[in-house]
Amino acid sequence: MADKSFNAFAMAQAQFDNIADLLELDTATRELLRNPLREYTFLIPVRMDDGRVKVFRGFRVQHNDARGPGKGGIRFHPAETIDTVRALSMWMTWKCAVVDIPLGGSKGGVICDPHNLSVHEQERLCRGWVRQLAQVIGPLRDVPAPDVMTSSQHMLWMLDEYEAIRGARFPGLITGKPVGMGGSLGRTEATGFGVVFTLREALKELGIRPGDTIASVQGFGNVARYAIRLYNQIGGKVICVSCCDQKDETSYCFRQKDGIDLDELLDITDRFGGIDKQKASGLGYEILPGEAWIEQDVDILIPAALENQITAENAPRISKRVKVIVEGANGPTTPEADRIIDERNIFLIPDFLANAGGVTCSYFEQVQSNTNLYWEKDEVLGKLDVKMTSAYLAVSQLAHRKKLFMRDAAYVIAVNRVAQACKDRGWV
Ligand code: NAD
């Protein structure tokens, strides 16, 4: 479960400070990049179905837009905090820079639990979020997208509200729209597939055949599912997945030593990525405590749920067999755990590189929306593969050349690009 003392922003700043030292950044550039350029916090009054008004707190943080309009998702989560949104917006800046797309970093959120909201209440909440921000977001300023517990339907309500306010169609306002309503084919698969494109390249470099590997995955949402789908297609087998049960707010693992059947598990999963324990047990899955995913005797670990999941406390329990950790989630590993992983020579593909497939496809969606010309799915996924592979290779080559931990190499490339854009604009 989430550790309340954990501060994602402090972690993002610590990671940045480490790179700022390495790059010997000047004081002004450091100050500019270790904090968000702009942040908005606001209240959203929502008329509930029973006639009462409930007030929610919303956020939008625009960390940096030197390389292009801000880009980043919106989370609906009961434990959302401004510091989490700050960290995520900062990671978005590095993510767009490392895959070299012309966008900056933003992130948004609302403190709420969508499980306890009806569809109409969720719609009013989405529209209220946009009403508070209509003047400071837009296709040329800041482009939102779905994230944890938000969907293409939420994006469409937000787009509709924005267009009603502005009195015209702005399909480039938001990404993750439904296909047929300006969405891009391949967006649903993009993040999970991107995770596996980078994993495939890493295994190639390490001289390991994917078909000889097994993996354990934390999470069973959008990222995890499509990562599992493509990993299976390249020959890998997942033996353990975990998810959070919304009823008791506890996480569980589902283990099948011969390999999970993705479609079979999807049939018994709710729309928030929670797997039905009783039915899974009936299908022969072992039900284990939530932390068990990290201790499995596997070659590959794929954290794809939330931040702060691999820590100094549980990293020593990672099996000796693990060769690669590929981070599907944002910020799943703390800096202390990074050190343990580095010392143990486990190859890590860092979050803002591994999970950049989502934002890359969102960028493709914007290009399609703005030109009103839509591509076939194969074209989208083919372009995504090219972008992810070349970003991965640039990072791994730098890591080899300078003997850097992969996260540091990715940071060096990203921070350099953003610092240069700030300099070129005459900001610092
Ligand atoms: P999602 O809401 O679709 O799924 C989240 C999954 O994690 C669910 O299966 C949930 O049950 C599980 N989960 C939640 N808490 C857990 C816990 N404590 N232990 C085990 N499982 C738990 O979310 P998603 O879109 O798959 O995003 C997952 C992560 O990937 C997040 O960190 C998100 O920021 C990041 N990410 C998502 C995208 C994207 O395109 N969806 C892009 C980049 C990064």
Side-chain angles (χ1 to χ4, degrees), residues 75 147 187 191 220-223 242-244 251 273 305 328-330 355:
R75 285 181 169 195
D147 200 90
R187 175 62 187 89
T191 307
F220 200 59
N222 173 262
V223 179
S242 75
C243 67
C244 189
S251 58
N330 288 312
N355 70 29

Side-chain angles (χ1 to χ4, degrees), residues 126-375:
C126 287
R127 292 183 184 278
W129 190 88
V130 168
R131 282 198 298 277
Q132 295 298 327
L133 289 168
Q135 305 311 318
V136 297
I137 56 173
L140 302 176
R141 296 184 78 155
D142 181 7
V143 181
D147 200 90
V148 174
M149 289 205 268
T150 53
S151 66
S152 57
Q153 176 62 75
H154 296 113
M155 298 306 109
L156 192 55
W157 287 325
M158 289 180 173
L159 175 66
D160 187 66
E161 188 67 22
Y162 183 82
E163 292 179 334
I165 294 168
R166 301 296 303 269
R169 291 282 174 256
F170 287 90
L173 166 77
I174 210 156
T175 62
K177 301 181 288 293
V179 172
M181 293 298 291
S184 175
L185 290 168
R187 175 62 187 89
T188 318
E189 295 89 342
T191 307
F193 274 27
V195 166
V196 175
F197 291 147
T198 63
L199 173 64
R200 179 197 64 202
E201 293 305 309
L203 292 176
K204 215 183 279 174
E205 285 184 333
L206 295 167
I208 301 170
R209 283 186 44 232
D212 293 337
T213 65
I214 56 173
S216 173
V217 180
Q218 188 191 34
F220 200 59
N222 173 262
V223 179
R225 288 167 200 189
Y226 286 99
I228 296 170
R229 171 93 58 217
L230 189 60
Y231 175 63
N232 284 161
Q233 279 171 20
I234 65 171
K237 205 159 67 174
V238 171
I239 61 136
C240 181
V241 294
S242 75
C243 67
C244 189
D245 186 316
Q246 304 303 333
K247 287 184 214 101
D248 57 10
E249 291 189 13
T250 306
S251 58
Y252 297 93
C253 288
F254 298 79
R255 186 167 67 182
Q256 179 64 270
K257 287 213 160 140
D258 296 331
I260 64 146
D261 180 329
L262 179 61
D263 291 316
E264 173 184 84
L265 277 187
L266 284 174
D267 279 346
I268 55 166
T269 301
D270 67 29
R271 67 198 166 97
F272 298 105
I275 300 168
D276 187 311
K277 289 197 289 296
Q278 231 171 349
K279 289 184 182 156
S281 180
L283 290 167
Y285 287 82
E286 287 173 79
I287 316 289
L288 305 171
E291 276 256 314
W293 73 278
I294 203 173
E295 299 163 7
Q296 298 304 307
D297 194 26
V298 292
D299 308 284
I300 295 158
L301 290 178
I302 311 181
L306 287 177
E307 60 280 350
N308 191 33
Q309 297 302 307
I310 306 181
T311 63
E313 191 262 315
N314 63 15
R317 299 207 297 275
I318 294 174
S319 155
K320 284 197 176 64
R321 178 171 169 178
V322 171
K323 297 169 192 77
V324 181
I325 298 175
V326 51
E327 296 181 326
N330 288 312
T333 310
T334 64
E336 299 74 35
D338 263 357
R339 279 191 281 280
I340 298 170
I341 289 166
D342 193 15
E343 273 161 27
R344 287 186 48 186
N345 259 327
I346 299 173
F347 191 81
L348 179 129
I349 312 176
D351 50 0
F352 66 93
L353 170 64
N355 70 29
V359 74
T360 304
C361 192
S362 290
Y363 164 60
F364 294 158
E365 179 177 333
Q366 255 199 311
V367 172
Q368 295 170 79
S369 287
N370 291 337
T371 54
N372 209 6
L373 179 69
Y374 289 87
W375 311 336

